[in-house]
């Protein structure tokens, strides 16, 4: 009896020196939502316009993804595709970083501009992307956006700018900061002559971009949950010596405090833009904000 009680059981062992095999999961097959942590098939998220089915978090889009979702048939007649950033101030390491950004993003800078249609109505549009230097605004970004504004002015077409940016590009110093004045001046002239400008802010829209053209729309729209502001939370809290609300600088917070006209879900954004364009169109096809 006692012999059976203390009898050692036999267990299967894994031979030493043989590595355990891992499941062969293709890279990019699954995506984790940064907000709720839910893991979904990447293709399912893409079918849902890159919005998390579980919590509604809006993933960031590249410029060409945004173009495909917004313009009719995803068609854009691109402006100034040849413009690309250089290293005007000889900032250490900047030239190499530019080349790396061009290769990783497939773009020449942080914005794509051009002409297309939304709901059959012609429009000039600029699409910023966080994929290139965190959407920072350097000389080329400012120049391309200014030229897009001037094209809209000359053709008497409405203008839509999709913003996402970390602010001015520090490697271009004062040349970057000058783009704030240049774009704002071009917009003032365009809007002064009755041009319609719709600004769409996506996550994140901060710094010099939010302080200049992003906040100057006849309509200021934003995607849900987008971070919108100028200085960062820590800088503001240290300056005013007060704790800020948890939802500070979100699109919803800005809407509540009168900085936005509407927060629009990505699935409704194209229809909303088409409706606004139709409201301002006349029988001749010219669209204006007057």
């Amino acid at each position: 009896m006692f012999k059976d009680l203390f009898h050692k059981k036999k267990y299967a062992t894994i031979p030493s020196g043989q590595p355990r095999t891992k499941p062969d999961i293709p890279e990019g097959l699954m995506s984790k939502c940064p907000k709720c942590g839910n893991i979904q098939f990447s293709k399912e998220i893409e079918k849902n316009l890159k919005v998390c089915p579980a919590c509604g978090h809006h993933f960031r889009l590249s410029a060409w993804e945004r173009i495909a979702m917004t313009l009719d048939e995803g068609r854009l007649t691109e402006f100034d595709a040849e413009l690309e950033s250089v290293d005007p101030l000889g900032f250490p390491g900047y030239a190499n970083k530019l080349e790396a950004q061009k290769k990783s993003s497939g773009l020449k800078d942080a914005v794509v501009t051009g002409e297309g249609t939304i709901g059959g109505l012609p429009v000039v549009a600029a699409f910023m992307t966080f994929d290139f230097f965190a959407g920072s605004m350097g000389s080329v970004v400012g120049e391309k956006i200014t030229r897009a504004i001037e094209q809209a002015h000359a053709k008497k077409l409405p203008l839509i700018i999709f913003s996402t940016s970390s602010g001015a590009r520090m490697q271009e110093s004062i040349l970057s900061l000058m783009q704030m004045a240049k774009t704002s001046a071009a917009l003032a002239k365009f809007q002064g002559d009755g041009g319609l400008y719709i600004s769409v802010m996506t996550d994140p829209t901060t710094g010099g971009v939010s302080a200049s053209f992003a906040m100057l729309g006849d309509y200021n729209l934003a995607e849900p949950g987008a971070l919108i502001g100028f200085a960062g939370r820590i800088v503001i809290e240290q300056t005013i010596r007060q704790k800020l609300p948890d939802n500070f600088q979100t699109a919803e917070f800005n809407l509540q405090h009168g900085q936005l006209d509407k927060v629009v879900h990505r699935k409704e954004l194209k229809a909303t833009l088409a409706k606004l364009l139709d409201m301002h169109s006349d029988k001749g096809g010219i669209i204006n904000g007057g």
Side-chain angles (χ1 to χ4, degrees):
M1 176 175 145
F2 288 104
K3 183 179 179 181
D4 294 335
L5 181 64
F6 293 102
H7 183 70
K8 291 184 179 180
K9 295 181 180 180
K10 294 182 180 180
Y11 296 94
T13 58
I14 299 175
S16 59
Q18 295 184 8
R20 296 182 180 182
T21 58
K22 295 182 178 180
D24 187 15
I25 301 176
E27 185 177 353
L29 178 66
M30 310 295 289
S31 295
K32 182 178 180 180
C33 176
K35 184 178 180 181
C36 69
N38 209 333
I39 298 176
Q40 308 274 347
F41 283 105
S42 298
K43 287 186 177 180
E44 291 302 315
I45 294 177
E46 289 174 5
K47 288 179 182 177
N48 203 40
L49 302 183
K50 283 202 168 182
V51 176
C52 176
C55 70
H57 171 73
H58 284 49
F59 286 77
R60 291 172 184 168
L61 299 176
S62 69
W64 287 105
E65 286 174 330
R66 178 78 62 183
I67 289 167
M69 292 181 188
T70 307
L71 299 182
D72 295 341
E73 299 178 355
R75 292 184 179 179
L76 177 78
T77 302
E78 191 175 354
F79 299 155
D80 306 306
E82 75 285 356
L83 292 184
E84 59 183 313
S85 286
V86 293
D87 185 12
L89 303 178
F91 193 94
Y94 184 40
N96 291 335
K97 288 181 179 179
L98 279 175
E99 291 305 313
Q101 292 291 314
K102 291 172 186 177
K103 289 180 181 179
S104 64
S105 67
L107 300 173
K108 293 184 177 180
D109 217 298
V111 68
V112 176
T113 61
E115 183 178 344
T117 62
I118 299 177
L121 296 168
V123 63
V124 170
F127 302 84
M128 297 191 72
T129 179
F130 208 75
D131 293 344
F132 192 102
F133 253 117
S136 55
M137 179 170 63
S139 301
V140 168
V141 170
E143 180 66 18
K144 290 184 74 170
I145 288 177
T146 300
R147 292 189 185 187
I149 297 168
E150 292 172 346
Q151 286 274 17
H153 198 172
K155 296 181 178 183
K156 296 184 178 180
L157 293 177
L159 171 72
I160 302 176
I161 300 179
F162 293 84
S163 299
T164 177
S165 177
S166 60
R169 191 172 300 172
M170 59 172 281
Q171 291 88 346
E172 296 186 25
S173 188
I174 190 64
L175 299 177
S176 178
L177 295 177
M178 288 168 61
Q179 308 310 311
M180 297 172 62
K182 183 168 72 175
T183 54
S184 298
L187 275 173
K189 187 175 180 181
F190 171 67
Q191 291 172 304
D193 286 343
L196 173 66
Y197 168 40
I198 302 173
S199 176
V200 183
M201 286 164 266
T202 69
D203 183 65
T205 300
T206 60
V209 168
S210 67
S212 54
F213 59 83
M215 283 291 188
L216 297 180
D218 295 299
Y219 294 97
N220 289 326
L221 311 178
E223 289 190 330
L227 174 67
I228 301 169
F230 180 60
R233 171 187 285 270
I234 295 176
V235 173
I236 298 173
E237 287 184 336
Q238 290 177 345
T239 301
I240 65 175
R241 295 193 174 105
Q242 292 182 23
K243 178 68 176 176
L244 296 169
D246 291 339
N247 67 339
F248 180 68
Q249 290 186 328
T250 62
E252 292 75 14
F253 183 90
N254 279 275
L255 177 65
Q256 183 181 358
H257 290 80
Q259 297 297 313
L260 295 174
D261 294 301
K262 192 172 184 180
V263 176
V264 186
H265 193 283
R266 188 171 291 166
K267 291 182 178 181
E268 302 171 357
L269 187 53
K270 182 176 180 179
T272 299
L273 293 174
K275 184 176 181 179
L276 290 174
L277 294 176
D278 185 61
M279 283 171 53
H280 289 269
S281 64
D282 61 21
K283 294 181 180 179
I286 297 174
I287 305 176
N288 59 72

